[in-house]
Short mmCIF file of all heavy atoms in Angstrom, two decimals:
data_model
loop_
_atom_site.label_atom_id
_atom_site.label_comp_id
_atom_site.label_asym_id
_atom_site.label_seq_id
_atom_site.Cartn_x
_atom_site.Cartn_y
_atom_site.Cartn_z
N MET A 21 76.54 76.67 66.45
CA MET A 21 76.73 76.76 67.89
C MET A 21 75.37 76.74 68.59
O MET A 21 74.34 76.97 67.99
CB MET A 21 77.48 78.06 68.25
CG MET A 21 76.66 79.32 68.02
SD MET A 21 77.41 80.79 68.75
CE MET A 21 78.86 81.02 67.73
N HIS A 22 75.44 76.40 69.87
CA HIS A 22 74.23 76.43 70.68
C HIS A 22 74.56 77.15 71.99
O HIS A 22 75.46 76.74 72.72
CB HIS A 22 73.71 75.02 70.95
CG HIS A 22 72.43 75.03 71.74
ND1 HIS A 22 72.41 75.08 73.12
CD2 HIS A 22 71.13 75.06 71.34
CE1 HIS A 22 71.14 75.10 73.53
NE2 HIS A 22 70.36 75.09 72.47
N ILE A 23 73.84 78.22 72.26
CA ILE A 23 74.12 79.06 73.41
C ILE A 23 73.12 78.77 74.51
O ILE A 23 71.92 78.62 74.25
CB ILE A 23 73.99 80.55 73.02
CG1 ILE A 23 74.90 80.86 71.83
CG2 ILE A 23 74.34 81.45 74.21
CD1 ILE A 23 74.51 82.15 71.14
N SER A 24 73.62 78.70 75.74
CA SER A 24 72.70 78.56 76.87
C SER A 24 73.20 79.39 78.04
O SER A 24 74.39 79.71 78.14
CB SER A 24 72.56 77.09 77.26
OG SER A 24 73.81 76.56 77.62
N VAL A 25 72.27 79.77 78.90
CA VAL A 25 72.60 80.52 80.11
C VAL A 25 72.20 79.68 81.31
O VAL A 25 71.08 79.17 81.38
CB VAL A 25 71.85 81.87 80.15
CG1 VAL A 25 72.09 82.57 81.49
CG2 VAL A 25 72.30 82.76 79.00
N ASP A 26 73.13 79.52 82.25
CA ASP A 26 72.86 78.79 83.48
C ASP A 26 72.20 79.75 84.46
O ASP A 26 72.86 80.60 85.05
CB ASP A 26 74.17 78.24 84.04
CG ASP A 26 73.95 77.41 85.29
OD1 ASP A 26 72.85 77.49 85.88
OD2 ASP A 26 74.88 76.69 85.67
N SER A 27 70.89 79.60 84.62
CA SER A 27 70.17 80.55 85.47
C SER A 27 70.51 80.40 86.94
O SER A 27 70.24 81.29 87.74
CB SER A 27 68.65 80.39 85.26
OG SER A 27 68.28 79.06 85.53
N ASP A 28 71.11 79.27 87.31
CA ASP A 28 71.55 79.12 88.71
C ASP A 28 72.80 79.94 88.99
O ASP A 28 73.07 80.30 90.13
CB ASP A 28 71.85 77.64 89.01
CG ASP A 28 70.58 76.82 89.03
OD1 ASP A 28 69.52 77.38 89.31
OD2 ASP A 28 70.67 75.60 88.76
N ARG A 29 73.55 80.24 87.94
CA ARG A 29 74.77 81.03 88.10
C ARG A 29 74.54 82.51 87.85
O ARG A 29 75.19 83.36 88.46
CB ARG A 29 75.84 80.57 87.11
CG ARG A 29 76.53 79.32 87.52
CD ARG A 29 77.65 79.03 86.52
NE ARG A 29 78.54 78.03 87.05
CZ ARG A 29 79.87 78.16 87.04
NH1 ARG A 29 80.43 79.20 86.50
NH2 ARG A 29 80.61 77.22 87.56
N CYS A 30 73.67 82.83 86.91
CA CYS A 30 73.48 84.22 86.48
C CYS A 30 73.12 85.11 87.66
O CYS A 30 72.29 84.75 88.50
CB CYS A 30 72.36 84.25 85.43
SG CYS A 30 71.93 85.93 84.91
N ILE A 31 73.78 86.26 87.73
CA ILE A 31 73.49 87.21 88.81
C ILE A 31 72.78 88.46 88.27
O ILE A 31 72.64 89.45 88.97
CB ILE A 31 74.80 87.62 89.53
CG1 ILE A 31 75.81 88.23 88.55
CG2 ILE A 31 75.38 86.44 90.30
CD1 ILE A 31 77.03 88.84 89.21
N GLY A 32 72.38 88.40 87.00
CA GLY A 32 71.59 89.50 86.44
C GLY A 32 72.37 90.77 86.22
O GLY A 32 71.81 91.87 86.29
N SER A 33 73.65 90.63 85.92
CA SER A 33 74.47 91.84 85.74
C SER A 33 74.18 92.54 84.41
O SER A 33 74.55 93.69 84.23
CB SER A 33 75.95 91.47 85.79
OG SER A 33 76.27 90.62 84.70
N ALA A 34 73.55 91.84 83.50
CA ALA A 34 73.04 92.40 82.24
C ALA A 34 74.09 92.67 81.17
O ALA A 34 73.76 93.16 80.10
CB ALA A 34 72.23 93.67 82.48
N GLN A 35 75.35 92.36 81.45
CA GLN A 35 76.35 92.59 80.40
C GLN A 35 75.99 91.92 79.09
O GLN A 35 76.17 92.50 78.03
CB GLN A 35 77.73 92.05 80.82
CG GLN A 35 78.61 93.05 81.47
CD GLN A 35 78.68 92.73 82.95
OE1 GLN A 35 77.67 92.35 83.54
NE2 GLN A 35 79.83 92.89 83.52
N CYS A 36 75.50 90.70 79.17
CA CYS A 36 75.23 89.96 77.94
C CYS A 36 74.11 90.62 77.14
O CYS A 36 74.21 90.77 75.93
CB CYS A 36 74.91 88.51 78.24
SG CYS A 36 73.53 88.29 79.37
N ALA A 37 73.04 91.03 77.84
CA ALA A 37 71.92 91.64 77.14
C ALA A 37 72.30 93.00 76.55
O ALA A 37 71.78 93.40 75.50
CB ALA A 37 70.73 91.79 78.09
N VAL A 38 73.23 93.68 77.19
CA VAL A 38 73.70 94.96 76.65
C VAL A 38 74.63 94.73 75.46
O VAL A 38 74.55 95.43 74.45
CB VAL A 38 74.44 95.77 77.76
CG1 VAL A 38 75.17 96.96 77.16
CG2 VAL A 38 73.44 96.23 78.81
N THR A 39 75.47 93.70 75.58
CA THR A 39 76.44 93.42 74.51
C THR A 39 75.77 92.87 73.26
O THR A 39 76.09 93.28 72.14
CB THR A 39 77.51 92.42 75.01
OG1 THR A 39 78.10 92.94 76.19
CG2 THR A 39 78.58 92.19 73.96
N VAL A 40 74.84 91.93 73.45
CA VAL A 40 74.17 91.30 72.30
C VAL A 40 72.65 91.25 72.54
O VAL A 40 72.08 90.20 72.82
CB VAL A 40 74.70 89.87 72.04
CG1 VAL A 40 74.36 89.46 70.59
CG2 VAL A 40 76.19 89.76 72.25
N PRO A 41 72.00 92.39 72.42
CA PRO A 41 70.56 92.42 72.71
C PRO A 41 69.73 91.59 71.74
O PRO A 41 68.57 91.30 72.03
CB PRO A 41 70.21 93.92 72.61
CG PRO A 41 71.31 94.54 71.82
CD PRO A 41 72.54 93.72 72.09
N SER A 42 70.31 91.20 70.61
CA SER A 42 69.56 90.37 69.67
C SER A 42 69.55 88.90 70.08
O SER A 42 68.81 88.10 69.51
CB SER A 42 70.15 90.51 68.26
OG SER A 42 71.49 90.05 68.25
N VAL A 43 70.36 88.54 71.07
CA VAL A 43 70.44 87.14 71.50
C VAL A 43 70.01 86.94 72.96
O VAL A 43 69.34 85.98 73.28
CB VAL A 43 71.87 86.59 71.30
CG1 VAL A 43 72.02 85.18 71.89
CG2 VAL A 43 72.23 86.58 69.82
N PHE A 44 70.38 87.90 73.82
CA PHE A 44 70.09 87.72 75.24
C PHE A 44 69.03 88.74 75.70
O PHE A 44 69.03 89.89 75.26
CB PHE A 44 71.35 87.93 76.09
CG PHE A 44 72.46 86.99 75.76
CD1 PHE A 44 73.50 87.40 74.95
CD2 PHE A 44 72.46 85.70 76.25
CE1 PHE A 44 74.55 86.53 74.64
CE2 PHE A 44 73.48 84.81 75.93
CZ PHE A 44 74.53 85.24 75.13
N GLU A 45 68.18 88.28 76.60
CA GLU A 45 67.22 89.19 77.22
C GLU A 45 67.12 88.83 78.69
O GLU A 45 67.54 87.76 79.11
CB GLU A 45 65.85 89.10 76.55
CG GLU A 45 65.20 87.73 76.71
CD GLU A 45 63.87 87.64 76.00
OE1 GLU A 45 63.43 88.63 75.41
OE2 GLU A 45 63.28 86.55 76.04
N GLN A 46 66.57 89.76 79.47
CA GLN A 46 66.41 89.49 80.90
C GLN A 46 64.96 89.16 81.19
O GLN A 46 64.04 89.81 80.68
CB GLN A 46 66.86 90.70 81.71
CG GLN A 46 68.38 90.83 81.70
CD GLN A 46 68.83 92.04 82.48
OE1 GLN A 46 68.77 93.15 81.99
NE2 GLN A 46 69.28 91.82 83.70
N ASP A 47 64.76 88.17 82.04
CA ASP A 47 63.40 87.80 82.39
C ASP A 47 62.89 88.69 83.53
O ASP A 47 63.57 89.62 83.96
CB ASP A 47 63.30 86.31 82.73
CG ASP A 47 64.08 85.94 83.98
OD1 ASP A 47 64.44 86.84 84.77
OD2 ASP A 47 64.33 84.74 84.17
N GLU A 48 61.71 88.38 84.01
CA GLU A 48 61.11 89.26 85.01
C GLU A 48 61.88 89.27 86.33
O GLU A 48 61.72 90.19 87.13
CB GLU A 48 59.64 88.87 85.25
CG GLU A 48 59.45 87.45 85.71
CD GLU A 48 59.28 86.47 84.55
OE1 GLU A 48 59.65 86.79 83.39
OE2 GLU A 48 58.78 85.38 84.80
N ASP A 49 62.72 88.27 86.53
CA ASP A 49 63.54 88.25 87.74
C ASP A 49 64.88 88.95 87.51
O ASP A 49 65.73 88.98 88.41
CB ASP A 49 63.80 86.80 88.17
CG ASP A 49 62.51 86.10 88.57
OD1 ASP A 49 61.64 86.76 89.18
OD2 ASP A 49 62.36 84.92 88.26
N GLY A 50 65.11 89.47 86.31
CA GLY A 50 66.36 90.15 86.02
C GLY A 50 67.46 89.21 85.57
O GLY A 50 68.59 89.63 85.35
N LEU A 51 67.14 87.93 85.45
CA LEU A 51 68.15 86.97 85.01
C LEU A 51 68.13 86.85 83.49
O LEU A 51 67.09 87.01 82.86
CB LEU A 51 67.89 85.61 85.65
CG LEU A 51 67.89 85.61 87.18
CD1 LEU A 51 67.61 84.20 87.70
CD2 LEU A 51 69.20 86.14 87.74
N SER A 52 69.28 86.55 82.95
CA SER A 52 69.39 86.50 81.50
C SER A 52 68.91 85.18 80.94
O SER A 52 69.10 84.12 81.54
CB SER A 52 70.85 86.72 81.11
OG SER A 52 70.97 86.69 79.72
N THR A 53 68.29 85.25 79.78
CA THR A 53 67.92 84.05 79.04
C THR A 53 68.27 84.29 77.58
O THR A 53 68.44 85.42 77.14
CB THR A 53 66.41 83.75 79.14
OG1 THR A 53 65.69 84.87 78.61
CG2 THR A 53 65.98 83.51 80.57
N VAL A 54 68.37 83.19 76.85
CA VAL A 54 68.57 83.30 75.41
C VAL A 54 67.21 83.49 74.77
O VAL A 54 66.26 82.77 75.08
CB VAL A 54 69.27 82.04 74.86
CG1 VAL A 54 69.44 82.14 73.35
CG2 VAL A 54 70.62 81.85 75.54
N ILE A 55 67.09 84.47 73.91
CA ILE A 55 65.83 84.73 73.23
C ILE A 55 65.45 83.49 72.41
O ILE A 55 66.29 82.97 71.66
CB ILE A 55 65.96 85.96 72.31
CG1 ILE A 55 66.23 87.21 73.16
CG2 ILE A 55 64.70 86.15 71.47
CD1 ILE A 55 66.57 88.44 72.36
N PRO A 56 64.22 83.00 72.57
CA PRO A 56 63.81 81.80 71.83
C PRO A 56 64.08 81.94 70.33
O PRO A 56 63.74 82.96 69.72
CB PRO A 56 62.30 81.71 72.13
CG PRO A 56 62.15 82.38 73.45
CD PRO A 56 63.16 83.50 73.46
N GLY A 57 64.71 80.94 69.79
CA GLY A 57 65.04 80.95 68.36
C GLY A 57 66.40 81.53 68.07
O GLY A 57 66.89 81.46 66.95
N ARG A 58 67.06 82.09 69.10
CA ARG A 58 68.38 82.68 68.91
C ARG A 58 69.49 81.84 69.55
O ARG A 58 70.60 82.34 69.74
CB ARG A 58 68.42 84.10 69.49
CG ARG A 58 67.61 85.09 68.67
CD ARG A 58 68.09 85.05 67.23
NE ARG A 58 67.37 85.99 66.40
CZ ARG A 58 67.94 87.08 65.88
NH1 ARG A 58 69.19 87.34 66.09
NH2 ARG A 58 67.21 87.87 65.13
N GLU A 59 69.17 80.61 69.86
CA GLU A 59 70.17 79.75 70.51
C GLU A 59 71.39 79.52 69.62
O GLU A 59 72.45 79.14 70.11
CB GLU A 59 69.55 78.40 70.89
CG GLU A 59 68.50 78.49 71.98
CD GLU A 59 67.10 78.82 71.45
OE1 GLU A 59 66.96 79.09 70.24
OE2 GLU A 59 66.16 78.80 72.26
N ASP A 60 71.24 79.77 68.32
CA ASP A 60 72.38 79.60 67.41
C ASP A 60 73.21 80.87 67.29
O ASP A 60 74.19 80.93 66.54
CB ASP A 60 71.92 79.14 66.03
CG ASP A 60 71.08 80.21 65.33
OD1 ASP A 60 70.75 81.24 65.95
OD2 ASP A 60 70.74 79.99 64.15
N GLY A 61 72.84 81.89 68.00
CA GLY A 61 73.61 83.14 68.00
C GLY A 61 73.26 84.07 66.86
O GLY A 61 73.71 85.22 66.86
N GLY A 62 72.52 83.60 65.91
CA GLY A 62 72.08 84.45 64.81
C GLY A 62 73.23 85.06 64.02
O GLY A 62 73.08 86.12 63.42
N GLY A 63 74.39 84.40 64.05
CA GLY A 63 75.54 84.93 63.31
C GLY A 63 76.16 86.15 63.96
O GLY A 63 76.97 86.85 63.35
N GLU A 64 75.82 86.39 65.20
CA GLU A 64 76.27 87.59 65.89
C GLU A 64 77.69 87.39 66.47
O GLU A 64 77.89 86.59 67.37
CB GLU A 64 75.27 87.89 67.02
CG GLU A 64 75.61 89.05 67.88
CD GLU A 64 75.79 90.33 67.09
OE1 GLU A 64 74.81 90.88 66.57
OE2 GLU A 64 76.96 90.75 67.01
N PRO A 65 78.67 88.10 65.94
CA PRO A 65 80.05 87.87 66.38
C PRO A 65 80.32 88.27 67.83
O PRO A 65 81.28 87.80 68.42
CB PRO A 65 80.89 88.71 65.41
CG PRO A 65 79.95 89.73 64.86
CD PRO A 65 78.59 89.09 64.86
N LEU A 66 79.51 89.12 68.38
CA LEU A 66 79.75 89.58 69.75
C LEU A 66 79.34 88.56 70.82
O LEU A 66 79.58 88.77 72.00
CB LEU A 66 79.00 90.90 70.00
CG LEU A 66 79.63 92.13 69.35
CD1 LEU A 66 78.72 93.34 69.54
CD2 LEU A 66 81.00 92.40 69.93
N VAL A 67 78.73 87.44 70.38
CA VAL A 67 78.33 86.43 71.37
C VAL A 67 79.53 85.94 72.17
O VAL A 67 79.47 85.81 73.39
CB VAL A 67 77.62 85.24 70.67
CG1 VAL A 67 77.51 84.06 71.62
CG2 VAL A 67 76.24 85.66 70.20
N ARG A 68 80.63 85.71 71.49
CA ARG A 68 81.81 85.22 72.22
C ARG A 68 82.34 86.26 73.18
O ARG A 68 82.88 85.94 74.24
CB ARG A 68 82.90 84.77 71.23
CG ARG A 68 82.49 83.50 70.52
CD ARG A 68 83.49 83.08 69.47
NE ARG A 68 82.88 82.13 68.55
CZ ARG A 68 82.66 80.86 68.83
NH1 ARG A 68 83.02 80.36 69.98
NH2 ARG A 68 82.07 80.08 67.94
N GLU A 69 82.22 87.51 72.82
CA GLU A 69 82.60 88.58 73.74
C GLU A 69 81.68 88.58 74.96
O GLU A 69 82.14 88.77 76.09
CB GLU A 69 82.51 89.93 73.01
CG GLU A 69 82.90 91.12 73.84
CD GLU A 69 84.30 91.00 74.43
OE1 GLU A 69 85.18 90.42 73.76
OE2 GLU A 69 84.50 91.47 75.56
N ALA A 70 80.41 88.32 74.76
CA ALA A 70 79.47 88.26 75.88
C ALA A 70 79.83 87.11 76.82
O ALA A 70 79.74 87.25 78.04
CB ALA A 70 78.04 88.09 75.37
N VAL A 71 80.25 85.99 76.25
CA VAL A 71 80.67 84.85 77.08
C VAL A 71 81.85 85.25 77.95
O VAL A 71 81.89 84.99 79.15
CB VAL A 71 81.04 83.65 76.20
CG1 VAL A 71 81.66 82.53 77.04
CG2 VAL A 71 79.81 83.13 75.46
N ARG A 72 82.81 85.93 77.34
CA ARG A 72 84.00 86.36 78.09
C ARG A 72 83.64 87.38 79.16
O ARG A 72 84.24 87.41 80.23
CB ARG A 72 85.04 86.97 77.14
CG ARG A 72 85.97 85.95 76.55
CD ARG A 72 87.15 86.63 75.88
NE ARG A 72 86.74 87.44 74.74
CZ ARG A 72 86.61 86.98 73.51
NH1 ARG A 72 86.86 85.71 73.27
NH2 ARG A 72 86.24 87.76 72.54
N ALA A 73 82.66 88.24 78.84
CA ALA A 73 82.36 89.35 79.74
C ALA A 73 81.51 88.94 80.94
O ALA A 73 81.46 89.66 81.93
CB ALA A 73 81.62 90.45 78.96
N CYS A 74 80.86 87.80 80.86
CA CYS A 74 80.00 87.39 81.96
C CYS A 74 80.83 87.18 83.22
O CYS A 74 81.76 86.36 83.22
CB CYS A 74 79.25 86.10 81.61
SG CYS A 74 78.23 85.51 82.99
N PRO A 75 80.54 87.89 84.30
CA PRO A 75 81.38 87.83 85.50
C PRO A 75 81.32 86.50 86.23
O PRO A 75 82.21 86.20 87.03
CB PRO A 75 80.84 88.97 86.38
CG PRO A 75 79.45 89.20 85.90
CD PRO A 75 79.45 88.88 84.43
N VAL A 76 80.29 85.71 85.98
CA VAL A 76 80.17 84.43 86.69
C VAL A 76 80.22 83.23 85.73
O VAL A 76 79.90 82.11 86.09
CB VAL A 76 78.88 84.38 87.54
CG1 VAL A 76 78.96 85.37 88.68
CG2 VAL A 76 77.64 84.65 86.69
N ARG A 77 80.59 83.51 84.49
CA ARG A 77 80.72 82.46 83.47
C ARG A 77 79.45 81.61 83.37
O ARG A 77 79.51 80.37 83.37
CB ARG A 77 81.94 81.58 83.73
CG ARG A 77 83.23 82.37 83.77
CD ARG A 77 84.42 81.58 83.29
NE ARG A 77 85.63 82.40 83.19
CZ ARG A 77 85.91 83.16 82.14
NH1 ARG A 77 85.09 83.21 81.11
NH2 ARG A 77 87.01 83.87 82.11
N ALA A 78 78.33 82.27 83.28
CA ALA A 78 77.06 81.56 83.23
C ALA A 78 76.66 81.19 81.81
O ALA A 78 75.71 80.43 81.62
CB ALA A 78 75.96 82.43 83.85
N ILE A 79 77.37 81.74 80.82
CA ILE A 79 76.97 81.49 79.43
C ILE A 79 77.86 80.40 78.82
O ILE A 79 79.09 80.46 78.96
CB ILE A 79 77.11 82.77 78.58
CG1 ILE A 79 76.35 83.92 79.23
CG2 ILE A 79 76.60 82.52 77.16
CD1 ILE A 79 76.64 85.27 78.60
N THR A 80 77.23 79.45 78.20
CA THR A 80 77.96 78.34 77.58
C THR A 80 77.67 78.31 76.09
O THR A 80 76.52 78.47 75.67
CB THR A 80 77.52 77.00 78.20
OG1 THR A 80 77.73 77.05 79.60
CG2 THR A 80 78.31 75.84 77.62
N ILE A 81 78.72 78.11 75.31
CA ILE A 81 78.55 77.88 73.88
C ILE A 81 78.98 76.45 73.59
O ILE A 81 80.08 76.05 73.95
CB ILE A 81 79.41 78.83 73.03
CG1 ILE A 81 78.92 80.26 73.17
CG2 ILE A 81 79.39 78.41 71.57
CD1 ILE A 81 79.73 81.25 72.36
N LYS A 82 78.09 75.71 72.98
CA LYS A 82 78.46 74.38 72.50
C LYS A 82 78.60 74.49 71.00
O LYS A 82 77.70 74.99 70.32
CB LYS A 82 77.37 73.37 72.84
CG LYS A 82 77.47 72.86 74.26
CD LYS A 82 76.58 71.64 74.43
CE LYS A 82 76.50 71.29 75.90
NZ LYS A 82 75.16 70.87 76.29
N GLU A 83 79.72 74.03 70.51
CA GLU A 83 79.90 74.05 69.06
C GLU A 83 79.11 72.90 68.45
O GLU A 83 79.14 71.77 68.94
CB GLU A 83 81.38 73.92 68.70
CG GLU A 83 82.23 75.03 69.27
CD GLU A 83 81.81 76.42 68.78
OE1 GLU A 83 81.13 76.53 67.74
OE2 GLU A 83 82.18 77.40 69.46
N THR A 84 78.38 73.21 67.40
CA THR A 84 77.62 72.17 66.70
C THR A 84 78.14 72.09 65.28
O THR A 84 78.85 72.98 64.81
CB THR A 84 76.12 72.50 66.70
OG1 THR A 84 75.94 73.82 66.18
CG2 THR A 84 75.55 72.45 68.10
N GLU A 85 77.78 71.04 64.59
CA GLU A 85 78.37 70.80 63.28
C GLU A 85 77.94 71.83 62.24
O GLU A 85 78.67 72.12 61.32
CB GLU A 85 77.98 69.41 62.78
CG GLU A 85 78.84 68.34 63.44
CD GLU A 85 78.54 66.97 62.89
OE1 GLU A 85 77.95 66.89 61.80
OE2 GLU A 85 78.91 66.00 63.55
N ASP A 86 76.76 72.42 62.43
CA ASP A 86 76.26 73.34 61.40
C ASP A 86 76.85 74.73 61.52
O ASP A 86 76.58 75.58 60.68
CB ASP A 86 74.73 73.39 61.41
CG ASP A 86 74.19 73.77 62.79
OD1 ASP A 86 74.99 73.85 63.73
OD2 ASP A 86 72.97 73.96 62.89
N ALA A 87 77.63 75.02 62.53
CA ALA A 87 78.28 76.32 62.62
C ALA A 87 79.25 76.32 63.77
O ALA A 87 78.96 76.75 64.82
CB ALA A 87 77.29 77.44 62.78
S1 SF4 B 112 76.48 88.59 81.82
FE1 SF4 B 112 76.27 86.63 82.92
S2 SF4 B 112 75.60 87.18 84.98
FE2 SF4 B 112 75.27 88.95 83.66
S3 SF4 B 112 73.12 88.76 82.98
FE3 SF4 B 112 74.42 87.80 81.42
S4 SF4 B 112 74.49 85.61 82.00
FE4 SF4 B 112 73.77 86.76 83.78
#
């Protein structure tokens, strides 16, 4: 999978960073980003929960062939 956050949509609610701190972090503006190197989710099962929990649906998962 490949995870991305749409920074134009993100409102900095931080649910994703709280749910999966190993994948999401907040930048200096309070907006969420994917931690470099963790775009594949790192095998973290809660990533899909973070996608569901985002109030503005700013997180996208693209399925890739390797996972
Ligand atoms: S849950 Fe959504 S709106 Fe909240 S910080 Fe994460 S990406 Fe941004």
Side-chain angles (χ1 to χ4, degrees):
M21 69 169 69
H22 183 274
I23 305 162
S24 60
V25 174
D26 183 345
S27 56
D28 291 333
R29 281 185 166 228
C30 176
I31 57 171
S33 64
Q35 267 107 321
C36 56
V38 168
T39 304
V40 200
S42 62
V43 173
F44 300 100
E45 64 182 358
Q46 286 179 281
D47 66 16
E48 59 270 19
D49 296 322
L51 302 180
S52 181
T53 59
V54 178
I55 296 171
R58 289 305 181 111
E59 293 85 354
D60 66 353
E64 177 56 71
L66 285 174
V67 166
R68 289 176 198 283
E69 181 56 34
V71 172
R72 272 193 296 273
C74 177
V76 293
R77 302 211 173 277
I79 307 170
T80 303
I81 292 180
K82 279 193 190 140
E83 300 300 340
T84 53
E85 282 184 18
D86 55 353

